[in-house]
Amino acid sequence: MNTSALDTSFLDRTVTEVRRTAESWSATPPTERIALLERLLPRVVSSAPELAAAGARAKGYAPESPWAAEDWIGGPWALAQNAAAYLHVLRRIAAGKEPVDAEAVHEERGRTWVGVFPATGWDRLLLNGFTAQVWMRPGTSAEQARSRAAGEYRGRPGPPAVALVLGAGNVAAITALDILHKLFAEGQVVIAKMNPVNAYLRPHFEYIFAEFVERGWVRFVDGGAAEGGHLAAHEDVDAIHVTGSDRTHDAIVWGTDEDAEQRRRDDRPLLDKPFSSELGGVSPCIVAPGPWSDADFRFQAEHIVTSKMNNSGHNCIASQILVLPRDWDGTERLLDEIRRVLRELPPRTDYYPGAAGRLASVLAAHPEAEAHGDGCRLLVPDITDHDDVLVTDEVFGSVLGVVRLPGRAPAEFLRHAVDFANNTLPGTLGATLVVHPRTEKAHRDAVRTAIADLRYGTLGVNCWSGVGFLLGFTPWGAYPGHTRQDIGSGIGFVHNAFMLKDIEKTVLRAPFTPAPRGLVTGDPSLSPRPPYFVTNRTALTTVERVTRFTAAPSLTKLPALFASALRG
């Protein structure tokens, strides 16, 4: 039902109906929750072609376009991967095991971290060389990390509650993954308000979550800010999660009238209920100088362009500022390769509402900006003013800015880069650090310090931090410290299949070079060019096969999957 002409009676009935089911979901044992996930995964697979095709058509290209791989990655595959991650952990708990294997929890240098990926043998096979550690907040012991995990299933469940999920309009899976988190990690039933930009996904989600809808544990509604505001303020809605901008958060919490700013300063919120959020920011990609080969420049240019141009840059985690060493002889070579990749990509346009105006503001500030490919891929190759619009504001479109910082030696450059990222760029959702294995080996302390000091919820080392959104085992959210008065990139973590507490950040790693070249760089793995690269020639076929494999692993599916991956 479309609620664009605010139908409060419909919304109120929806809340009442979902409220009645909260206790039954809380009483649903792990074995039944496992069965629900096992039955959900085949529905993800059967609906996947239509779900991905709907996203492709909405963005203006055909379902068979090379660009459509991202609609599989950010739709069916992300949903299958996250559901499978919860399934893995719940099966451990049902078998009488701790959610986190004791061998995965480590204490070193006064800090505790948990190895969360790879979590299964299939992970080691399909994403060989990819790893993820969750760093716990300072003062958290290894025993605390283990004992506090998955409290929902270990004698510390929350009370029956209704959660409102205010869906994102950009990446298809975001709303669905937030629903899974509320259900399985927090034990709450869910009202999901679709974003008007991608409300066309609602029938697909209602099919995927059919059992949950039938039993009243999940309800979907349409509408805009008025519907979201009414639901958020409803007395029977206990908690809220929003993916969007800081403006969306502030409008709900403080209002939009002339007194809103004073309420924020006085900390007198209109709503005072648990509120988690993922709100984006200006994400950096930091490139350390090193002994790169021609192939390294090309591969990392593809990597950097992917981190910007996936979904036309309409990602909260898209790399917006490329931080390069001013005195490195590889800086111009890397930029030339980035230009080449931008020119070679198939045409597409920025589809998200308001993108044209945001790109126009960049062009007004930078008439010298380079336009590549179809003309809407912008590169601003030398930003010198830290009050520049690209430095201060999330553009949410296909423009990449370059900031050059001093430091011929890696240690000196990394100190400048970390300071710039932490203290100049707004937002703490995610950052990417690209460093050659030989550079890291020769400057281990400097690289280790940079990784420890970067204040981001997900740090990708030789891996776009956006990959952390996909894996399910990796918590997703801003670096801790934001408050409702200064919301920044948001509060809290979602996904997080191991249901860890006291999280500081995730450190994600991937091979610097694909197989077999990793043998030369000292970074060996079995991973070819990743299927999420915008330059991967067989990405669409590979990701279709990965989705089906993730939902139902089988040795018989591997030959075709590997053949496609290697051709990419």
Side-chain angles (χ1 to χ4, degrees), residues 77 81-82 84-85 88-89 100-101 104-106 113-135 463 467-475 497-498 500 506-511 527 532 546 550:
W77 180 58
Q81 174 67 22
N82 276 256
H88 170 76
V89 176
V100 180
D101 194 306
V105 185
H106 305 266
W113 59 270
V114 182
V116 298
F117 193 88
T120 71
W122 299 124
D123 295 336
R124 293 180 180 86
L125 189 62
L126 295 184
L127 287 172
N128 188 260
F130 285 69
T131 63
Q133 301 173 354
V134 177
W135 289 30
C463 182
V467 174
F469 167 82
L470 301 169
L471 297 180
F473 297 105
T474 42
F498 287 110
L500 299 169
T506 297
V507 178
L508 181 68
R509 281 183 174 267
S527 289
Y532 57 84
V546 168
T550 301

Side-chain angles (χ1 to χ4, degrees), residues 116-392:
V116 298
F117 193 88
T120 71
W122 299 124
D123 295 336
R124 293 180 180 86
L125 189 62
L126 295 184
L127 287 172
N128 188 260
F130 285 69
T131 63
Q133 301 173 354
V134 177
W135 289 30
M136 314 309 289
R137 296 193 192 196
T140 304
S141 69
E143 192 280 328
Q144 288 171 323
R146 291 170 54 193
S147 65
R148 297 196 65 195
E152 172 71 14
Y153 301 91
R154 304 171 75 196
R156 302 185 302 278
V162 176
L164 170 64
V165 167
L166 296 172
N170 55 337
V171 176
I174 291 177
T175 301
L177 302 191
D178 292 342
I179 292 169
L180 285 177
H181 175 84
K182 285 294 185 181
L183 286 168
F184 288 93
E186 299 190 18
Q188 299 170 350
V189 292
V190 180
I191 299 168
K193 189 195 78 64
M194 299 299 296
N195 191 293
V197 177
N198 60 9
Y200 59 84
L201 295 171
R202 176 180 169 176
H204 305 284
F205 290 159
E206 288 182 325
Y207 170 76
I208 291 169
F209 287 96
E211 282 194 84
F212 298 86
V213 173
E214 290 165 4
R215 299 176 72 165
W217 295 327
V218 174
R219 284 285 189 274
F220 293 90
V221 300
D222 295 331
E227 287 76 11
H230 181 81
L231 289 166
H234 199 290
E235 64 180 2
D236 281 336
V237 168
D238 303 294
I240 304 166
H241 179 78
V242 60
T243 302
S245 70
D246 55 354
R247 295 181 300 278
T248 302
H249 169 274
D250 288 350
I252 295 170
V253 174
W254 310 112
T256 57
D257 60 16
E258 61 184 12
D259 296 324
E261 180 57 25
Q262 188 62 50
R263 279 193 292 268
R264 187 185 67 81
R265 287 196 294 266
D266 296 341
D267 197 17
R268 293 184 290 108
L270 296 175
L271 289 178
D272 189 11
K273 54 180 74 174
F275 200 130
S276 57
S277 51
E278 188 260 88
L279 306 175
V282 176
S283 294
C285 177
I286 299 167
V287 178
W292 292 25
S293 68
D294 290 344
D296 295 336
F297 282 105
R298 174 68 185 194
F299 181 78
Q300 290 302 334
E302 295 176 9
H303 176 202
I304 292 163
V305 170
T306 293
S307 74
K308 171 75 268 183
M309 297 303 166
N310 174 277
N311 203 30
S312 284
H314 305 316
N315 293 324
C316 292
I317 197 63
S319 295
Q320 182 164 307
I321 293 294
L322 178 60
V323 184
L324 295 177
R326 184 183 300 157
D327 303 316
W328 181 40
D329 59 5
T331 288
E332 292 305 324
R333 292 178 64 187
L334 179 59
L335 288 174
D336 284 343
E337 288 294 342
I338 287 172
R339 293 180 178 104
R340 183 183 305 177
V341 176
L342 291 172
R343 289 194 300 267
E344 292 174 353
L345 290 175
R348 71 181 298 181
T349 56
D350 288 27
Y351 70 90
Y352 206 81
R358 293 189 296 273
L359 293 179
S361 70
V362 172
L363 285 170
H366 291 284
E368 80 286 2
E370 302 171 10
H372 294 283
D374 52 18
C376 75
R377 298 176 196 133
L378 302 181
L379 177 68
V380 182
D382 194 5
I383 296 171
T384 57
D385 183 359
H386 289 181
D387 290 327
D388 190 282
V389 63
L390 280 169
V391 174
T392 60

